[in-house]
Amino acid sequence: MAEEEKKPKKIVPKKYPMPEQDPKERVHNFNEVPIGQDAQTAIAEAQRCLQCKRGPNRKVCMDGCPVEIDIPRFIKQVQLGEFAEAIRIIRENQNLPAVCGRVCPYENQCEGFCIVGKKNEPVGIGRLERFLADWERREQKHGKVEVPPPTGKKVAVVGGGPAGLTVAGDLAKLGHKVTVFEALQYCGGVLIYGIPEFRLPKEIVRAEVDYLRRMGVEIHNDYVIGKLETVDELLKSYDAVFVGTGAGLPDWTNLKGENLNGIMSANEFLTRVNLMKAFKFPEYDTPIRVGDRVVTIGGGNVAMDCARTSLRLGCKESVILYRRSDAELPARREEIHHAKDEGVRFELLAAPLEFIGDAQGNVQQVKAIRMQLGEPDASGRRRPVKIPGSEFLIDAQTVLIAIGQSPNPLVPMTTPDLKTTKEGTIAVDENGRTSKMGVFAGGDIASGAATVILAMGDGKRAAKAMHKFITGDRTWPAPEVFEKLSCEM
Ligand code: FAD
Ligand code: SF4
Ligand code: SF4
């Protein structure tokens, strides 16, 4: 090897920047905030990668990717400018690259394991994934996607969110016939009805779903399993069933005044805006009203989405009320940073006590109390403790409750013998097998509200197990396994 080649590579210390819409402009529109990088920037970013090898005691980027994308291999192709080959490698393992390139919490996943990230900023793996998926959508032809000849096996997928779509894609790639049953008029789950347009344009989700259709996946929309048909009925026509119905049931504070007009769950608010285009009322049928001041209770991605959407709907002040400090905010750092740039006000270490209304029953104020952090709780985060006598009032004409979601109960309620945990999630083993032979589950319905990529990781593991099951390996865990799971969790 030439002397020069042995020298350690000089790394550009920071990621190449992502161009963004100016905060002053973007608070008046629903267009996507990050604009995307060009080909030259993507190649330069890829050149920051050291092409590390995995070792028994050496974790690298791939160890942080729940769907096991071969990251160094696809980045190598970006370095060479071979974008078609790079996205082909990603698609070997990943059915929604344009989505994950945008909303995956990659800072804690792949990029959290990047070797470059030990001393510098990690390689921008998420941005490269987004660049390639966007490049593919623009440049590639949109014909039928090649899949192996049909195996004759049929699988039903209940719920067309990230978990269900991953199962659908992975099993279609193996030649199985997949039918998705989705309750809403579009597939995508939270990607369609929850995450706002300015973070994830719906056109992108539709293009990813269309890719699955082109693989031969059949999709039935407006089809609620548990109402139109049950899982048991599906089992008569399909070789296996996957349940990926998510965690769409909003949690409430149960505080006094929560039923006042103007108080709604984050789910209802975001669904009205995203799915029913309420921001285009009266052009679209669904109205939405935000007052001058909107208070969002909570500190996760859902809360950031509510606070930022409120600004775009024209409120004068959008406030986040969160009971812990900035360091504990569960939202992605990028979302917090975007919210702050757009002018969202953070009222930290404060919790609501009561909602106060006027004589007509409309909310007018939130009574809150200051908190301080005490000892760590079961989640490992320091427990917020009320400071006596520190009550204060915040004006609010709209209050959005974004403190969490629980599993959708309909499928467990209508499927006898499907064991659930104390939290209402479906009890599954490490391969997504449930207490009912032939029925698998994954994503938020099995884990509780989590992330897109964890739901997809669940889908991937379940798809592998379903393939084994429908091709002849009928081994199934003993009932006691699920008895134990349903008591423990
Ligand atoms: P879901 O996405 O909930 O999909 C379930 C699907 O099943 C839905 O389409 C539903 O209509 C359908 N369904 C339900 N019941 C039935 C039935 N009986 N019959 C037929 N169909 C049914 N995660 C991130 O990684 N990054 C983010 O930035 C992020 N932001 C978020 C913002 C918001 C506002 C929300 C709510 C969540 C966010 N998340 C984020 C979390 C992430 O979206 C979820 O963890 C993920 O979507 C879970 O996928 P899933 O497939 O399990 O469920
Ligand atoms: Fe990283 Fe998420 Fe892409 Fe995996 S899917 S490589 S974790 S951004
Ligand atoms: Fe490249 Fe980072 Fe993965 Fe190493 S760990 S191969 S530098 S992306």
Side-chain angles (χ1 to χ4, degrees), residues 49-52 60-61 72 75 114-116 125:
C49 170
L50 302 172
Q51 292 291 300
C52 315
V60 300
C61 50
I75 294 186
C114 174
I115 302 293
V116 168
I125 304 168

Side-chain angles (χ1 to χ4, degrees), residues 274-465:
N274 288 326
L275 198 63
M276 299 164 182
K277 300 274 178 285
F279 62 96
K280 289 189 177 170
F281 181 79
E283 190 189 329
Y284 283 75
D285 289 339
T286 306
I288 191 108
R289 186 183 70 94
V290 294
D292 280 352
R293 189 162 290 119
V294 178
V295 173
T296 302
I297 318 272
N301 288 322
V302 184
M304 299 305 138
D305 286 345
C306 287
R308 296 174 68 198
T309 300
S310 304
L311 284 176
R312 284 160 175 78
L313 291 173
C315 75
K316 293 206 178 101
E317 192 178 33
S318 178
V319 182
I320 291 262
L321 193 70
Y322 178 61
R323 59 195 183 137
R324 291 184 164 98
S325 74
D326 187 278
E328 288 85 21
L329 278 166
R332 295 183 57 211
R333 279 338 279 186
E334 186 177 308
E335 305 312 330
I336 298 166
H337 158 77
H338 280 151
K340 286 183 177 166
D341 278 357
E342 289 169 11
V344 171
R345 183 160 76 80
F346 283 71
E347 193 68 74
L348 300 169
L349 286 166
L353 289 177
E354 173 185 348
F355 304 103
I356 300 165
D358 60 15
Q360 286 73 43
N362 299 315
V363 68
Q364 292 298 320
Q365 286 178 316
V366 180
K367 184 174 176 190
I369 186 162
R370 304 272 171 216
M371 311 290 276
Q372 59 191 0
L373 294 178
E375 293 302 307
D377 63 13
S379 71
R381 293 177 304 170
R382 291 175 65 195
R383 189 191 301 275
V385 183
K386 288 178 185 159
I387 303 178
S390 66
E391 290 84 354
F392 64 105
L393 294 170
I394 312 178
D395 286 347
Q397 288 74 46
T398 305
V399 176
L400 304 171
I401 311 289
I403 56 169
Q405 295 98 237
S406 297
N408 284 328
L410 185 58
V411 167
M413 269 165 46
T414 53
T415 314
D417 311 327
L418 195 62
K419 289 258 177 275
T420 52
T421 66
K422 276 188 264 173
E423 286 76 28
T425 55
I426 298 178
V428 290
D429 75 352
E430 66 287 359
N431 295 310
R433 292 180 295 189
T434 69
S435 53
K436 207 171 174 88
M437 191 187 249
V439 180
F440 298 75
D444 285 3
I445 187 69
S447 60
T451 64
V452 172
I453 195 61
L454 290 177
M456 293 180 73
D458 279 1
K460 195 154 233 18
R461 276 188 301 280
K464 275 188 196 151

